[in-house]
Amino acid sequence: DGGITQSPKYLFRKEGQNVTLSCEQNLNHDAMYWYRQDPGQGLRLIYYSQIVNDFQKGDIAEGYSVSREKKESFPLTVTSAQKNPTAFYLCASSITQGADTEAFFGQGTRLTVV
Amino acid sequence: LAKTTQPISMDSYEGQEVNITCSHNNIATNDYITWYQQFPSQGPRFIIQGYKTKVTNEVASLFIPADRKSSTLSLPRVSLSDTAVYYCLVGDRSGAGSYQLTFGKGTKLSVIP
């Protein structure tokens, strides 16, 4: 089955630790995105990537880092510099970043920092 | 960057038609209008997309007036399973020329038995 996979579904970390969230897609999509969602809120864009080895900051990139070494993979690292890391994180991909793009989302990773 | 405005919430009884309107006064010539649905603790799912006039699929219809400054998502005969948050997106081209897929807060639709 083609799709986009995020792992793990739930993640617990101690304050001050870096943590990396996995996102893999086998849809052969060029563009990939990371979003953060807080309770009762919409999605806020953290980073996005149009192509391998290239990525841009979204609206709330501070305290996060990404890499895009392979087309299929776009891992997100939540660093200790992120002041409020507890949230629901969503990864998405689309075939391109054109005006008529349709994004496909993973099931999300719920990160809790204690 | 294009911005959208939607009602924060709506209630509807089962079996009724629901219309959710989105305002996008600054829509650009090349922008498409796309709607997503999100259930709790899940990623959003694409519903429908259009550029002008009317688009219909097996799930919904999308009405876009000639000036394209607004659009209306129409859900026919909603059921309890349509309770979700609905997001309206328009093309959000960054300075680098790529689309960022910016989501607003969406409209929380509650379907009542």
Side-chain angles (χ1 to χ4, degrees):
Chain A
D1 280 336
I4 181 164
T5 303
Q6 291 185 242
S7 62
K9 191 169 182 178
Y10 299 95
L11 191 54
F12 295 87
R13 278 294 182 270
K14 290 185 177 179
E15 195 172 338
Q17 290 182 333
N18 291 356
V19 59
T20 297
L21 281 58
S22 169
C23 179
E24 303 278 332
Q25 54 98 358
N26 60 4
L27 299 167
N28 200 32
H29 286 174
D30 284 322
M32 297 187 75
Y33 314 80
W34 273 105
Y35 294 89
R36 169 185 173 135
Q37 188 170 36
D38 294 288
Q41 301 297 312
L43 282 70
R44 291 187 290 169
L45 183 65
I46 305 173
Y47 269 97
Y48 63 104
S49 168
Q50 291 178 276
I51 199 167
V52 173
N53 292 323
D54 180 68
F55 47 84
Q56 283 84 41
K57 293 181 179 180
D59 299 321
I60 56 164
E62 186 175 349
Y64 300 98
S65 66
V66 293
S67 63
R68 187 85 188 274
E69 297 176 2
K70 299 187 298 180
K71 188 175 186 177
E72 311 79 51
S73 179
F74 192 41
L76 173 75
T77 297
V78 184
T79 75
S80 56
Q82 169 49 235
K83 296 190 187 328
N84 297 298
T86 294
F88 186 50
Y89 290 88
L90 286 159
C91 179
S93 70
S94 61
I95 193 163
T96 66
Q97 278 192 293
D100 59 346
T101 195
E102 173 188 343
F104 294 79
F105 282 81
Q107 289 300 299
T109 293
R110 191 168 295 281
L111 173 65
T112 303
V113 176
V114 295
Chain B
L1 300 179
K3 181 180 176 181
T4 60
T5 303
Q6 306 173 232
I8 294 174
S9 64
M10 294 180 69
D11 294 336
S12 175
Y13 287 102
E14 267 193 301
Q16 289 189 330
E17 178 184 73
V18 171
N19 295 311
I20 306 174
T21 297
C22 178
S23 297
H24 28 79
N25 292 319
N26 297 326
I27 190 168
T29 303
N30 294 332
D31 288 342
Y32 282 70
I33 299 153
T34 311
W35 286 80
Y36 288 81
Q37 175 193 55
Q38 186 184 26
F39 298 113
S41 297
Q42 293 187 24
R45 180 177 72 104
F46 173 91
I47 301 175
I48 197 166
Q49 183 180 78
Y51 183 80
K52 62 180 180 180
T53 62
K54 177 183 173 182
V55 179
T56 297
N57 61 23
E58 64 277 6
V59 176
S61 295
L62 179 60
F63 298 92
I64 306 167
D67 67 5
R68 303 202 328 123
K69 293 185 184 298
S70 67
S71 59
T72 299
L73 174 73
S74 181
L75 303 172
R77 294 193 301 278
V78 293
S79 65
L80 296 176
S81 62
D82 292 315
T83 294
V85 178
Y86 293 83
Y87 296 95
C88 164
L89 280 71
V90 297
D92 191 6
R93 191 181 284 278
S94 72
S98 61
Y99 283 91
Q100 300 183 84
L101 281 180
T102 299
F103 286 74
K105 294 186 178 180
T107 298
K108 184 174 182 179
L109 172 65
S110 298
V111 179
I112 306 163

